[in-house]
């Protein structure tokens, strides 16, 4: 289920929190959060992620594209989520990808083909693409094993 949280190409903490809660309350099993950044107070977002976790929802987040350690990046720093960094076609960390101990896995994020808002095929880079790959994998696991908990899916990934 797509949940729009952007306003004028920006996202507020309030809209992100509302979006997480909306998805959880409306039956989502897997959340892909491909936004984030350095936030001085991440408690509201952490509480929303805890809400998802308490309701057995797997949360996958992009590590970010600032070439920085993710311990200051929200929600990528959160230990309850699956944090995904980007790798190149040579299976090395993409130069732009955030990194750190909280990164759980990596997936392709370099030169990914996709369609833009105008329906044109384009190529782009970013950990958002990486998180989408892992989200799709989590969804396939859940589809094949609907009884699996969010924690079991996280352990498999």
């Amino acid at each position: 289920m797509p949940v729009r949280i952007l306003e004028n190409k920006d996202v507020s903490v309030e809209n992100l929190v509302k979006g997480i809660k909306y998805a959880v309350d409306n039956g989502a099993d897997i959340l892909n959060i491909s936004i984030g950044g350095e936030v001085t107070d991440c408690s509201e977002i952490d509480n929303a992620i805890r809400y998802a976790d308490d309701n057995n929802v797997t949360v996958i987040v992009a590590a970010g594209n600032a070439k920085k350690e993710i311990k200051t990046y929200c929600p990528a720093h959160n230990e309850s989520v699956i944090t995904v960094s980007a790798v190149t076609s040579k299976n090395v960390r993409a130069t732009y990808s955030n990194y750190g101990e909280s990164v759980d896995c990596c997936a392709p994020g370099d030169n990914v083909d996709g369609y833009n808002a105008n329906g044109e095929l384009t190529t782009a880079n970013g950990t958002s693409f990486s998180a989408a790959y892992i989200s799709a994998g989590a969804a396939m696991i859940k589809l094949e094993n609907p009884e699996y908990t969010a924690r079991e899916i996280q352990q498999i990934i």
Side-chain angles (χ1 to χ4, degrees):
M1 96 185 51
V3 178
R4 185 177 178 97
I5 60 171
L6 295 175
E7 286 182 31
N8 301 321
K9 297 185 181 183
D10 290 320
V11 65
S12 67
V13 169
E14 178 184 5
N15 282 355
L16 176 56
V17 168
K18 284 181 182 178
I20 291 169
K21 289 182 178 178
Y22 177 87
V24 171
D25 291 344
N26 285 278
D29 293 313
I30 312 291
L31 296 184
N32 176 317
I33 303 175
S34 287
I35 58 163
E38 291 184 291
V39 179
T40 54
D41 180 9
C42 198
S43 60
E44 289 181 65
I45 297 169
D46 287 340
N47 287 338
I49 289 170
R50 188 173 308 105
Y51 180 73
D53 195 46
D54 289 347
N55 284 278
N56 198 34
V57 175
T58 302
V59 181
I60 296 135
V61 303
N65 304 321
K67 305 183 231 180
K68 293 186 175 183
E69 160 59 62
I70 64 170
K71 61 183 157 189
T72 62
Y73 270 71
C74 185
H77 77 283
N78 191 300
E79 293 294 328
S80 297
V81 303
I82 299 171
T83 300
V84 187
S85 65
V87 292
T88 68
S89 61
K90 297 188 187 306
N91 203 27
V92 296
R93 182 173 54 86
T95 57
Y96 54 81
S97 183
N98 288 355
Y99 55 88
E101 287 185 28
S102 294
V103 171
D104 297 294
C105 58
C106 57
D110 240 20
N111 298 315
V112 178
D113 291 334
Y115 289 92
N116 66 19
N118 298 324
E120 302 161 332
L121 184 62
T122 62
T123 301
N125 302 318
T127 60
S128 293
F129 299 105
S130 309
Y133 281 113
I134 300 303
S135 296
M140 295 302 295
I141 293 167
K142 186 68 172 180
L143 182 65
E144 289 293 317
N145 306 280
E147 75 282 1
Y148 279 12
T149 66
R151 196 65 56 227
E152 288 171 317
I153 293 170
Q154 190 173 26
Q155 289 171 349
I156 290 168
I157 290 174

